[in-house]
Amino acid sequence: MAENNNSSELFELIKTIEEAMTKAIAIATKAKTKAIKGARFAEAATARDIEKTLLDAQQILFPKKD
């Protein structure tokens, strides 16, 4: 029974991490868009790099099941 509880907790933790990563990607995308609109290109490049890194990590950690 304890093993089932642990796997349930692990599943919830993984789900929480995936949701947090999705939110972080959205924040990076919004920051990139705002920086581009404000012609702050160095800031936009940094936000783009962060966004790309998060997307790459998300693909590795949570591959899409097609």
Side-chain angles (χ1 to χ4, degrees), residues 17-33 47-62 64:
I17 292 169
E18 188 173 11
E19 289 170 357
M21 185 167 275
T22 299
K23 288 178 183 178
I25 291 167
I27 291 167
T29 302
K30 187 174 181 179
K32 178 183 72 175
T33 302
R48 182 200 63 221
D49 291 345
I50 292 169
E51 176 189 36
K52 184 176 178 341
T53 301
L54 288 169
L55 286 167
D56 290 347
Q58 186 180 46
Q59 270 188 327
I60 292 167
L61 294 171
F62 309 105
K64 298 247 188 245

Side-chain angles (χ1 to χ4, degrees), residues 3-21:
E3 192 174 301
N4 189 25
N5 189 31
N6 287 342
S7 64
S8 176
E9 288 177 12
L10 180 60
F11 176 77
E12 286 300 316
L13 178 60
I14 290 169
K15 186 176 169 185
T16 300
I17 292 169
E18 188 173 11
E19 289 170 357
M21 185 167 275

